[in-house]
Amino acid sequence: MATRIDELEARRHQARLGGGDKRIEAQHSKGRLTARERLTVLLDKGSFEEYDMFVEHNCSEFGMETQKFPGDGVVTGSGTINGRLVYVFAQDFTVFGGSLSERHASKICKIMDMAMKVGAPVIGLNDSGGARIQEGVASLAGYAEVFQRNVLASGVIPQISVIMGPCAGGAVYSPAMTDFIFMVKDSSYMFVTGPDVVKTVTNEVVTQEELGGAVTHTTKSGVADVAFENDIDALLATRDFFDFLPLSNRHPLPDRPCSDPWDRIEESLDTLIPDSAAKPYDMHELIRKTVDEGDFFEIQPNHAANIIIGFGRIEGRPVGIVANQPMVLAGVLDIASSKKAARFVRFCDAFDIPIITFVDVPGFLPGVAQEHNGIIKNGAKLLFAYAEATVPKITVITRKAYGGAYDVMSSKHLRGDLNYAWPSAEIAVMGAKGAVEIIFRKDIGDPEKIAARTAEYEQRFANPFVAASMGFIDEVIMPHSTRRRIALGLRKLRDKQLENPWKKHDNIPL
């Protein structure tokens, strides 16, 4: 028996070495942790239970039968984050560059299947050169098996991808179908085709970082959600982020003890809105003064910054927050911001996370580029997302809510449960100047008449009371009591029941 135990320990030691000391040193020299080191940071100490440590590839082409490593380039298993179950896989770049083989894929599929059975999130740490070329179509089949599970798990268990190295070709599509993607600056890349192929096909010269680096994908493309400075930052942030999510769509929301009074009054919010409607203010201030202890985890902060999305807590329970940002493009809705917010709203709805919406929106962004690139269909994505959502929805209009954008931003007409407005709210078809120039077109040549008409329009419509008189606003509230009203509202809505008509699935305007 002692001999067998010694053999087990020797085999385990060999598996933990991955591709060997030299390749581990090469990984460290790039500022990257190894797959196992990453899992040590991500998971609670001593909680990781590994599966399939001794699995090897089954390829015999191109001399591969002589090159075998236990684990075959991916570490899989389960553990806990702050005591809550999670399934994980971490690709090991020291073994065949983390490339995906048939057996490598089957290991990932196994933990995804287990996560679905018990109802627990999956976190993937991606660091892979792509499909293992020596295996040909078998590796492509492995990717497709993973893709199928991503789709079936969508909306059932949270899926998080942390890109910690290269992620190219077919490898990018699995992260793309997960709920959130985090990246590491100057270290991780995502692209369907790399710089060399781009140069050959289109004659464009571009670096890896410019083509698919963390900054590119968190600012321009919106493919990724947040870019972190290094592996440690990314993994610790993932731990924090995990605490906002339920284990599955069958589990309750996590509940954290909170010492922040639910009825805390924030007098400073009474002066947040500037005297001039043309002056911006930072919506982050309102968000942080409303949520528990100012703790707000923002998603995609550098992409489509005219809308803010992210998670906070009220009375210790997670909420999703969507807010127009007057500091960027005056908070207008455009193609990028509509898509960004729509996907977030649908995630919250899938996992029963209440949605808080702060509204200061002058309308949709006009322009030829917006129209030609589909602002109609893309704006409809956000409208569709809010309209189909059955979770508790609380809306607070702080200033402007003009035109169709008023409707889209979780209005009472899209089954908003509680719709509040501050006294500074202006709810109308459009701003006073534009409205007067249309209604009183014949008086445009008379500045005095136009000024008088504008003042009259502002007095009659640039306020929340017309909408309140029609029941479209439940109450005009004082800004300083915003947290208290939201907390009370969420208490009342905790047992809300609302179901959409039966359907196989909807047909959101993609």
Side-chain angles (χ1 to χ4, degrees), residues 415-492:
R415 301 188 299 187
D417 294 297
L418 289 169
N419 292 71
Y420 295 129
W422 285 5
S424 50
E426 304 171 14
I427 305 168
V429 174
M430 61 175 64
K433 183 175 183 295
V436 166
E437 287 177 355
I438 291 172
I439 299 170
F440 303 103
R441 191 178 289 108
K442 64 180 188 300
D443 295 331
I444 285 179
D446 190 334
E448 287 187 10
K449 275 190 178 180
I450 289 293
R453 296 291 192 186
T454 301
E456 179 187 1
Y457 187 93
E458 287 175 345
Q459 187 175 0
R460 289 186 62 185
F461 296 108
N463 62 66
F465 302 109
V466 175
S469 71
M470 298 177 181
F472 302 154
I473 295 297
D474 294 304
E475 176 128 34
V476 180
I477 65 171
M478 292 299 292
H480 65 247
S481 67
T482 301
R483 173 177 165 85
R484 173 178 166 274
R485 302 302 282 259
I486 290 174
L488 277 174
L490 290 172
R491 287 184 190 179
K492 296 170 189 171

Side-chain angles (χ1 to χ4, degrees), residues 320-335:
I321 293 172
V322 180
N324 306 114
Q325 171 58 298
M327 298 285 287
V328 181
L329 294 174
V332 297
L333 288 175
D334 58 4
I335 291 171

Side-chain angles (χ1 to χ4, degrees), residues 156-323:
V156 180
I157 55 173
Q159 301 177 80
I160 301 171
S161 297
V162 189
I163 314 300
M164 312 197 78
C167 191
V172 299
Y173 290 113
S174 175
M177 288 185 287
T178 60
D179 298 304
F180 299 98
I181 299 175
F182 298 150
M183 295 185 73
V184 181
K185 292 178 183 176
D186 303 318
S187 180
S188 62
Y189 311 98
M190 293 179 76
F191 32 65
V192 175
T193 54
D196 293 341
V197 176
V198 169
K199 183 179 180 182
T200 301
V201 176
T202 70
N203 216 26
E204 295 170 289
V205 177
V206 64
T207 65
Q208 281 190 325
E209 187 65 35
E210 291 167 340
L211 182 63
V215 173
T216 295
H217 282 312
T218 54
T219 56
K220 295 178 183 177
S221 73
V223 166
D225 294 295
V226 189
F228 297 98
E229 294 298 326
N230 53 53
D231 282 14
I232 299 286
D233 283 351
L235 294 165
L236 293 179
T238 303
R239 283 181 60 90
D240 290 340
F241 182 69
F242 183 83
D243 279 350
F244 287 102
L245 310 179
L247 294 179
S248 76
N249 64 357
R250 307 193 302 268
H251 285 81
L253 295 177
D255 203 340
R256 172 184 284 191
C258 175
S259 58
D260 194 353
W262 67 272
D263 57 352
R264 169 170 48 81
I265 297 299
E266 277 290 345
E267 300 286 355
S268 62
L269 292 181
D270 289 344
T271 55
L272 178 65
I273 304 298
D275 293 334
S276 168
K279 284 186 180 177
Y281 60 93
D282 191 353
M283 190 64 85
H284 286 103
E285 183 177 347
L286 169 55
I287 294 169
R288 296 192 185 281
K289 288 180 176 177
T290 300
V291 299
D292 292 352
E293 297 158 356
D295 183 17
F296 177 59
F297 195 110
E298 187 171 358
I299 302 297
Q300 294 193 320
N302 299 314
H303 173 68
N306 41 320
I307 205 159
I308 299 168
I309 59 172
F311 294 104
R313 294 182 185 86
I314 300 288
E315 292 195 276
R317 293 168 62 86
V319 293
I321 293 172
V322 180

Side-chain angles (χ1 to χ4, degrees), residues 277-413:
K279 284 186 180 177
Y281 60 93
D282 191 353
M283 190 64 85
H284 286 103
E285 183 177 347
L286 169 55
I287 294 169
R288 296 192 185 281
K289 288 180 176 177
T290 300
V291 299
D292 292 352
E293 297 158 356
D295 183 17
F296 177 59
F297 195 110
E298 187 171 358
I299 302 297
Q300 294 193 320
N302 299 314
H303 173 68
N306 41 320
I307 205 159
I308 299 168
I309 59 172
F311 294 104
R313 294 182 185 86
I314 300 288
E315 292 195 276
R317 293 168 62 86
V319 293
I321 293 172
V322 180
N324 306 114
Q325 171 58 298
M327 298 285 287
V328 181
L329 294 174
V332 297
L333 288 175
D334 58 4
I335 291 171
S337 63
S338 296
K339 290 194 293 185
K340 169 182 167 179
R343 180 163 168 79
F344 181 74
V345 167
R346 298 191 96 212
F347 175 85
C348 291
D349 189 50
F351 291 98
D352 284 330
I353 301 171
I355 301 166
I356 311 299
T357 306
F358 294 116
V359 182
D360 186 351
V361 61
F364 283 91
L365 182 64
V368 174
Q370 287 288 306
E371 294 293 352
H372 287 186
N373 286 299
I375 182 62
I376 296 170
K377 185 161 278 193
N378 285 288
K381 291 175 184 174
L382 182 54
L383 190 161
F384 196 108
Y386 269 124
E388 73 169 346
T390 59
V391 293
K393 294 184 287 192
I394 299 178
T395 303
V396 180
I397 300 173
T398 61
R399 189 164 64 175
K400 297 172 185 173
Y402 289 165
Y406 153 73
D407 286 329
V408 169
M409 292 298 295
S410 197
S411 63
K412 178 64 72 178
H413 326 287

